[in-house]
Amino acid sequence: MTQTAGRTAWYVERFDEFVRSLNGSSSAQLLTQRKEAMDAFVELGFPTARDEEWRYTSLAALLRQDFGVVEKLGEEVLSDVDAWRVPNLQSHVLVFTDGQYQPALSGGASLPEGVRVSNLASLLHEDGEVRDGTSLAPRGKDAFVELNTAFLRDGVHVHVDKGVRVDVPIEVLFIAASPNAAVHPRLSVRVEDGAEATLVERYVSASDHVHLTNSLAEFSLGESAHLDHYRVQDENRAAFHIANLYVREERHSVLRSTCCTLGGRLTRNHVHTHLIGEGVDSTLNGLYLVEGQQHVDNHTLIEHAQPHCQSHEFYKGILADDSTGVFRGQILVHQAAQKTDAYQANRNLLLSDRAEINTKPQLEIYADDVKCSHGATIGQLDEDAIFYLRSRGIGSAAARQVLTRAFAGEVVERIRLEPLRVLLEDSVGKRLEQAIANRA
Amino acid sequence: MLNIENLQASVGDTQILRGINLQVNAGEIHAIMGPNGSGKSTMAQVLAGHEGYDVTGGSASFLGRDLLDMNPEERAREGLFLAFQYPVEIPGVNSTYFLRTGYNEMCKHRGQEELDAMDFLSLVREKLKLVEMDESFLKRSVNEGFSGGEKKRHEVLQMAVLEPRLAVLDETDSGLDIDALRVVANGVNALHSPEKAAIVVTHYQRLLEYIVPDYVHVLYKGRIVRSGGKELALELEEKGYDWVKDEAVGAAV
């Protein structure tokens, strides 16, 4: 039996256990959906290097892990939650430990009328379905999406009513704690016509244990809706992290989404934005900073379905030591999407001879009156710039650090939420200081 | 202050400097002239410690210390400054931050107190006047999108902030119009004093109308083939470099 098939069987066993543990608390409809998802997962199996989409990301290490049931959380994890909040951010926060909502640790700034923010588990009991007409992730296509539905326990649901502007950022904090915990969180966000919201997702580890996060987020933006979205993953170096994000954007809506990957042993971020109305403005920014044996894979698909939309994609990566990375940026412009303005850039800085990046822009254009540009670069620090700084008295290590920080800074400075920007400037700075010190 | 003896340097297998001898004392301004490809810029880069060049022979001492033994940042901290022929653009690094970091490195080295952002800003505002630069430059990334003239003025601004003992100006005049040239030259002159020295590397005599040298040296094929007073520059302007070349060839035969 192949490793993949063996692991599929393991997950089927875990699923049967899981269903028994639910003990009837899952509604009949939901249970049916879980089972359908599990069947789809078995059908699909885990992706392998033969799948074009997974060519440079091996799941072998993930498949060797016995991810199982979450055990009871230690009290020390729960008492130290503030340390993982974004400092000085006045937010409404939802805290999850090993995927379980912690109402006592959640709350904070109050939200205006017309916004509903809740954990999913409470809703699952009410209407009992996770896949309804508003689901965006395609069925039967992605093994991890199916696993998410099968094993879903909890997550976040946000609904912003028409025209409501939410000034208070909604902060969602996922803390992983137990060894071999597999967490499958779901985020479901609907911003109605003309409404505005800011969402911050953070993923951290409270321990050095191996764990798996397999998240699925679905954002739906109504006409002229605005969503500022930040996703920061800073889990431990043993963690496996799979993140799927599907966005549907109606006419004149504005999305600004930033994805920062600092942690994880293996990270896969898949983003699919679907611009289904005219005049949509969609921005995807990304920063990945990896070292040691870390691997990060960013897959994005921006799908232009209607005319006069613009999309901007700007991903930068810094790879040190033996780390490896993948960037694949697909832009699909349908025939109807005339006057599309799409820009994509992926820039990479390799701090070691052993670090590797595979970058692949992929433009598929079926309309004839469009402006699409893309550029990918891979390079080392500019030796001329290093000499220039040194000739002004700045030491070699400091010069490297200044330049590396500046490279990352181009993404960080685009973060509009100041407390988060400050936090990232700080954590990126510290990370680079270490990476460069290790190198010297 | 600077004592260079038989300095030889190469890039890969190509020898560029073939034995330079030069002595620069405090208070002096030396001009290094010569045709393209004679090794002028190499000499400037080697003095600043560029690692792309291999020093293959000779010696150089600066303020009594072995210059060649120091890395580029140590040379800068000891008071050697190179104004680059092609200043490097550094996206994402703010000019003020860049200037202040360099300035504070000098302070640390000299055992002086470092300046915080506010105090440094008032210092740099004064220096900006010297090169007739607008304060808005400080907010921009180092040299990014600067015109040729702005880049050269920015070099002189750095010199004004770092206050080196010895400034090496590498073709600071190239690509400048007369107005910009005058601004740059005025800046350099204002910074000159009896304790300081400068080496002005240039292809043209034009700059030397504004920065008047005490000595002029002609570099050809990696050697100083002729030295004289400021009148040598005028002679070169009039006759071109061919007669120097002919003389050098004649001497070698």
Side-chain angles (χ1 to χ4, degrees):
Chain A
M1 202 189 294
T2 65
Q3 187 191 25
T4 310
R7 269 297 112 166
T8 306
W10 161 275
Y11 278 85
V12 171
E13 281 171 36
R14 297 289 80 70
F15 181 69
D16 293 341
E17 271 174 31
F18 173 67
V19 170
R20 278 198 296 278
S21 77
L22 288 172
N23 208 10
S25 69
S26 191
S27 72
Q29 296 97 311
L30 177 53
L31 196 58
T32 307
Q33 291 190 338
R34 290 186 191 282
K35 286 178 175 166
E36 281 170 6
M38 203 59 205
D39 290 343
F41 164 72
V42 171
E43 183 83 8
L44 288 163
F46 281 105
T48 67
R50 283 189 301 277
D51 293 275
E52 182 59 28
E53 304 264 309
W54 289 84
R55 207 165 148 194
Y56 300 106
T57 295
S58 165
L59 292 172
L62 187 151
L63 298 180
R64 279 196 292 275
Q65 299 296 328
D66 293 340
F67 292 116
V69 189
V70 172
E71 288 157 35
K72 270 272 172 247
L73 292 170
E75 286 300 313
E76 70 278 8
V77 173
L78 300 180
S79 62
D80 201 22
V81 161
D82 278 350
W84 288 297
R85 298 274 307 273
V86 178
N88 304 314
L89 181 69
Q90 300 300 316
S91 66
H92 182 85
V93 68
L94 290 94
V95 178
F96 295 78
T97 50
D98 283 337
Q100 295 175 43
Y101 180 56
Q102 302 295 339
L105 304 171
S106 304
S110 59
L111 295 165
E113 289 272 311
V115 191
R116 274 160 290 152
V117 178
S118 60
N119 70 310
L120 264 184
S122 56
L123 297 178
L124 292 178
H125 292 295
E126 287 167 27
D127 32 55
E129 272 185 292
V130 282
R131 278 180 164 166
D132 53 23
T134 64
S135 294
L136 302 177
R139 298 182 190 193
K141 295 269 193 239
D142 184 304
F144 289 101
V145 167
E146 300 305 328
L147 279 178
N148 181 281
T149 299
F151 286 97
L152 173 67
R153 276 200 107 102
D154 212 340
V156 177
H157 177 80
V158 176
H159 190 108
V160 186
D161 286 348
K162 208 169 168 175
V164 172
R165 185 179 153 171
V166 192
D167 288 325
V168 176
I170 299 157
E171 184 182 3
V172 184
L173 177 59
F174 288 97
I175 305 169
S178 304
N180 286 318
V183 175
H184 304 268
R186 176 79 57 100
L187 276 87
S188 160
V189 176
R190 169 68 185 169
V191 186
E192 294 285 359
D193 295 358
E196 292 180 25
T198 301
L199 176 70
V200 180
E201 285 178 71
R202 281 190 83 207
Y203 296 82
V204 298
S205 311
S207 70
D208 297 330
H209 300 307
V210 178
H211 64 90
L212 167 68
T213 301
N214 173 34
S215 77
L216 171 59
E218 295 173 307
F219 302 163
S220 162
L221 279 68
E223 287 191 13
S224 302
H226 281 61
L227 179 65
D228 258 18
H229 168 238
Y230 303 95
R231 191 182 202 285
V232 182
Q233 191 260 100
D234 199 1
E235 292 180 339
N236 71 32
R237 300 306 167 78
F240 293 86
H241 192 103
I242 311 287
N244 276 286
L245 168 62
Y246 290 85
V247 189
R248 184 174 181 270
E249 295 179 73
E250 291 169 40
R251 197 182 155 90
H252 297 140
S253 63
V254 180
L255 170 77
R256 294 177 57 88
S257 176
T258 303
C259 175
C260 296
T261 303
L262 304 173
R265 170 179 176 178
L266 182 151
T267 302
R268 159 85 165 198
N269 300 310
H270 173 78
V271 182
H272 178 174
T273 57
H274 197 178
L275 285 56
I276 59 154
E278 289 189 16
V280 171
D281 181 346
S282 190
T283 300
L284 298 181
N285 291 330
L287 176 67
Y288 42 100
L289 208 167
V290 286
E291 59 191 14
Q293 308 283 331
Q294 287 181 281
H295 176 83
V296 58
D297 178 343
N298 282 292
H299 257 60
T300 59
L301 167 58
I302 299 170
E303 192 174 348
H304 284 261
Q306 291 293 322
H308 298 288
C309 293
Q310 45 177 318
S311 64
H312 309 269
E313 184 174 20
F314 188 62
Y315 269 67
K316 293 189 94 172
I318 300 173
L319 298 99
D321 308 329
D322 296 287
S323 62
T324 48
V326 180
F327 174 83
R328 186 168 181 210
Q330 285 176 271
I331 299 176
L332 173 57
V333 181
H334 289 284
Q335 199 172 3
Q338 301 294 354
K339 305 285 179 189
T340 287
D341 184 352
Y343 166 81
Q344 178 194 90
N346 172 232
R347 305 210 177 106
N348 297 283
L349 181 60
L350 302 182
L351 295 181
S352 111
D353 297 340
R354 304 180 310 276
E356 259 183 51
I357 176 83
N358 277 289
T359 174
K360 185 180 179 190
Q362 200 180 329
L363 273 54
E364 246 179 277
I365 302 167
Y366 299 101
D368 52 20
D369 185 11
V370 300
K371 204 166 93 186
C372 283
S373 62
H374 67 90
T377 59
I378 303 170
Q380 280 89 38
L381 286 175
D382 179 1
E383 288 297 329
D384 289 336
I386 293 172
F387 177 59
Y388 192 60
L389 290 167
R390 293 178 77 187
S391 77
R392 301 310 182 236
I394 300 166
S396 172
R400 283 171 194 281
Q401 210 174 302
V402 165
L403 294 174
T404 315
R405 264 185 105 133
F407 184 88
E410 271 198 297
V411 176
V412 176
E413 72 192 12
R414 293 175 192 217
I415 295 175
R416 291 176 173 182
L417 209 55
E418 203 201 334
L420 184 65
R421 190 174 64 235
V422 170
L423 173 73
L424 276 168
E425 274 167 5
D426 189 54
S427 46
V428 166
K430 280 186 186 142
R431 189 64 61 85
L432 293 175
E433 205 171 318
Q434 257 172 29
I436 287 160
N438 291 346
R439 191 181 180 275
Chain B
M1 179 180 288
L2 178 71
N3 200 1
I4 303 175
E5 279 177 24
N6 192 29
L7 184 66
Q8 296 156 50
S10 60
V11 174
D13 292 334
T14 314
Q15 192 167 12
I16 300 177
L17 302 184
R18 298 164 185 271
I20 303 269
N21 293 291
L22 181 68
Q23 191 168 351
V24 179
N25 299 311
E28 294 174 353
I29 295 179
H30 290 245
I32 306 284
M33 301 187 71
N36 288 329
S38 58
K40 302 189 298 291
S41 279
T42 298
M43 184 183 146
Q45 299 267 327
V46 166
L47 290 178
H50 196 294
E51 285 161 357
Y53 299 93
D54 296 320
V55 174
T56 51
S59 65
S61 72
F62 176 56
L63 296 167
R65 284 191 62 185
D66 183 353
L67 184 72
L68 303 177
D69 199 35
M70 291 188 262
N71 62 34
E73 54 270 32
E74 287 170 328
R75 297 179 196 205
R77 291 169 196 162
E78 285 291 324
L80 187 139
F81 178 88
L82 171 66
F84 281 56
Q85 183 180 5
Y86 302 111
V88 185
E89 296 194 10
I90 311 183
V93 177
N94 167 283
S95 282
T96 314
Y97 176 80
F98 167 70
L99 289 165
R100 185 159 73 94
T101 307
Y103 179 83
N104 280 337
E105 287 293 344
M106 302 297 160
C107 291
K108 257 190 263 178
H109 185 71
R110 294 168 189 160
Q112 293 165 355
E113 209 168 308
E114 296 175 40
L115 289 189
D116 64 20
M118 286 305 286
D119 288 340
F120 182 74
L121 195 61
S122 32
L123 177 132
V124 79
R125 274 189 185 129
E126 281 306 306
K127 308 284 184 183
L128 277 168
K129 289 179 194 158
L130 190 73
V131 286
E132 299 176 27
M133 276 173 93
D134 190 86
E135 216 177 300
S136 63
F137 279 100
L138 298 175
K139 295 195 182 102
R140 291 169 61 181
S141 289
V142 175
N143 292 323
E144 196 184 31
F146 285 24
S147 70
E150 286 165 350
K151 283 181 180 169
K152 297 301 172 79
R153 277 194 271 172
H154 192 234
E155 292 295 291
V156 179
L157 174 67
Q158 292 167 46
M159 182 177 155
V161 168
L162 300 177
E163 298 194 36
R165 295 290 300 278
L166 173 67
V168 181
L169 308 168
D170 187 9
E171 307 234 3
T172 300
D173 52 334
S174 63
L176 295 189
D177 61 28
I178 291 291
D179 286 339
L181 186 69
R182 197 176 289 130
V183 171
V184 163
N186 287 346
V188 173
N189 288 331
L191 294 169
H192 191 60
S193 74
E195 300 81 46
K196 294 177 180 170
I199 297 174
V200 181
V201 176
T202 181
H203 184 76
Y204 304 103
Q205 186 268 340
R206 192 178 64 151
L207 177 67
L208 306 180
E209 286 173 23
Y210 299 95
I211 303 174
V212 181
D214 300 294
Y215 301 95
V216 174
H217 310 277
V218 180
L219 194 63
Y220 181 62
K221 288 192 173 173
R223 284 192 189 94
I224 289 175
V225 293
R226 205 180 167 98
S227 296
K230 63 183 176 222
E231 58 295 338
L232 179 57
L234 292 169
E235 210 175 334
L236 286 166
E237 181 76 2
E238 210 177 295
K239 299 187 189 169
Y241 285 112
D242 285 347
W243 65 281
V244 181
K245 290 182 191 174
D246 294 342
E247 245 179 50
V249 172
V253 170

